[in-house]
Amino acid sequence: MLHVKNEYIRKHLLDGNFGLEKEGLRVLADGKISHSVHPFPGDEHIVRDFCENQTEINTSVHSGIDDAVRELEYHQQRICEGLQKLPRREYLWLFSNPPYIENERDIPVAVFSGSSASKTAYREYLSDKYGRYKMTFSGIHVNFSFTEDVLRADFALQGGEDFSAYKDSVYLDLAKKMTSYGWILVAVTAASPLLDSSFVEKGVYGRDVFTGMASVRCSEMGYWNHFTPVLQYGSAAAYADSIKKYVDKGYLTAPSELYYPIRLKPRGENRLDAMRKNGIDHIELRMFDLNPLTESGVEKKDIAFAQLLMIWLAAMDELPFPEKDQVQAVQNFN
């Protein structure tokens, strides 16, 4: 746990590194999903997610929430300006839940070529396994890490000889606690209670369907695997191996198919072998709905609340997290 009573650590607790990812569907003026080709080829900050018409913004890493959201807003504005200039004007859908969907052909799988062609094959696999409707849900991912200075100051207080192992232990412990308490973030940021009727009854559209859930995307109808994974938090290698186990058993075709609300990531390319070799760099929170009342899709205060929650959890005593508790924690998100 973090020594938050230490003067230096307390002074710098609110320092941190933030990176944001935002998904959003492109639609036409009548609200129907666009079928045009991704209009931002070669842009490292504006890419595609599952389908060709689902843009994803990836910001750089920033040392403050304000700067991260400011960059997100900048790319959002670039997208809107670009869509306005298309032969048939398009817009970004504001909500996490999709608009009217005619059928699965209305959700064209993103097409990649050359050395990236495997990305299309992977999306086709997901389409066959989960159906395309589920893949139209969009949201915000918040990536966070403590500053190196804070972690090194805490490491000095903890004692020990291996800073990398200590750093891994901080994020592994935080991931356990965030999996257990992360439902709080869903409770305070959920913004997708209504579905178009076409999502639940094919061909019937234009009617609002209230499922009784504040966030359909985070509910049992949203992004979940067909099993509840049990992960190991003893070390970065054990964590990576526990994910690889589900790939080896055929439950997942790749680690990226693990639809879990909390992820730990290494620096650079997100690969399990990189995590084993280089350790854990940051934590990713994947449960935020798009906020349709904001320009960027997320409010700064919601990210700040998430940061405070993580600091509070990091300062708590270590949390035992047996298999039954892991299963219950995941169910609490629903």
Coordinates of all heavy atoms in Angstrom, one line a residue, residues 13 29 56 65 69 137 160-161 163 195 222-223 253 267 289 299:
L13 N 0.6 13.2 -4.4 CA -0.4 12.1 -4.7 C -1.2 12.4 -5.9 O -1.6 11.5 -6.6 CB -1.3 11.9 -3.5 CG -0.9 10.8 -2.5 CD1 -1.9 10.7 -1.4 CD2 -0.8 9.5 -3.2
A29 N -27.1 12.2 -41.3 CA -28.0 13.2 -40.8 C -29.3 12.6 -40.3 O -30.0 13.1 -39.3 CB -28.3 14.3 -41.8
E56 N -12.0 5.7 -33.3 CA -11.4 5.7 -32.0 C -10.3 6.7 -31.9 O -9.4 6.7 -32.7 CB -10.8 4.3 -31.7 CG -10.2 4.2 -30.3 CD -9.7 2.8 -30.0 OE1 -10.4 1.8 -30.2 OE2 -8.5 2.7 -29.6
I65 N -5.0 15.8 -16.0 CA -6.3 15.5 -16.6 C -6.7 16.5 -17.6 O -7.2 16.2 -18.7 CB -7.4 15.3 -15.5 CG1 -7.0 14.2 -14.6 CG2 -8.8 15.2 -16.1 CD1 -7.9 14.1 -13.4
V69 N -7.8 15.7 -21.6 CA -9.1 16.0 -22.1 C -9.0 17.1 -23.2 O -9.8 17.0 -24.2 CB -10.1 16.5 -21.0 CG1 -11.4 17.0 -21.5 CG2 -10.3 15.4 -20.0
F137 N -21.3 -0.9 -29.3 CA -21.2 -0.1 -28.1 C -19.9 0.7 -28.1 O -18.9 0.2 -28.5 CB -21.2 -1.0 -26.9 CG -22.6 -1.7 -26.6 CD1 -22.7 -3.0 -26.5 CD2 -23.7 -0.9 -26.3 CE1 -24.0 -3.6 -26.3 CE2 -24.9 -1.4 -26.0 CZ -25.0 -2.8 -26.0
G160 N 13.5 -3.0 0.2 CA 13.5 -4.0 -0.8 C 14.6 -3.6 -1.8 O 15.2 -2.6 -1.8
E161 N 14.9 -4.6 -2.8 CA 16.0 -4.4 -3.7 C 15.5 -4.3 -5.2 O 16.3 -3.9 -6.0 CB 16.9 -5.6 -3.5 CG 17.6 -5.7 -2.1 CD 18.5 -6.9 -2.0 OE1 18.6 -7.7 -3.0 OE2 19.1 -7.0 -1.0
F163 N 13.0 -2.6 -7.6 CA 12.0 -1.6 -7.9 C 10.9 -2.1 -8.9 O 9.7 -1.8 -8.7 CB 12.6 -0.3 -8.3 CG 11.6 0.7 -8.7 CD1 10.8 1.4 -7.7 CD2 11.4 1.1 -10.0 CE1 9.9 2.3 -8.1 CE2 10.4 2.0 -10.4 CZ 9.7 2.7 -9.4
L195 N -32.1 2.0 -25.3 CA -31.7 1.4 -26.5 C -32.8 1.6 -27.6 O -34.0 1.7 -27.3 CB -31.6 -0.1 -26.3 CG -30.3 -0.7 -25.8 CD1 -30.5 -2.2 -25.5 CD2 -29.2 -0.6 -26.8
G222 N -23.7 -6.3 -22.6 CA -22.6 -5.6 -23.2 C -21.4 -6.4 -23.4 O -21.5 -7.6 -23.7
Y223 N -20.2 -5.8 -23.3 CA -19.0 -6.4 -23.6 C -18.5 -7.4 -22.5 O -17.9 -7.0 -21.5 CB -17.9 -5.3 -23.7 CG -17.7 -4.9 -25.2 CD1 -18.0 -3.6 -25.6 CD2 -17.1 -5.8 -26.1 CE1 -17.8 -3.2 -26.9 CE2 -16.9 -5.4 -27.4 CZ -17.3 -4.1 -27.8 OH -17.1 -3.7 -29.1
T253 N -9.2 -16.1 -28.5 CA -8.2 -16.3 -29.6 C -7.0 -15.5 -29.5 O -6.0 -15.7 -30.1 CB -8.9 -16.0 -31.0 OG1 -8.1 -16.4 -32.0 CG2 -9.2 -14.5 -31.1
R267 N 4.5 -1.1 -20.9 CA 4.8 0.1 -21.8 C 4.9 -0.4 -23.2 O 5.4 -1.4 -23.5 CB 6.1 0.7 -21.3 CG 6.5 2.0 -22.1 CD 7.8 2.6 -21.6 NE 7.6 3.0 -20.2 CZ 7.1 4.2 -19.9 NH1 6.7 5.0 -20.9 NH2 7.0 4.6 -18.6
D289 N -19.1 5.1 -19.7 CA -20.0 5.4 -20.9 C -19.7 6.8 -21.4 O -19.1 7.7 -20.7 CB -21.5 5.5 -20.4 CG -22.1 4.1 -20.3 OD1 -21.5 3.1 -20.8 OD2 -23.2 4.0 -19.7
E299 N -16.3 13.9 -18.7 CA -16.1 15.1 -17.8 C -14.8 14.9 -17.1 O -14.5 13.9 -16.6 CB -17.3 15.3 -16.9 CG -18.5 15.8 -17.5 CD -19.4 16.6 -16.5 OE1 -19.1 17.7 -16.1 OE2 -20.4 16.0 -16.1

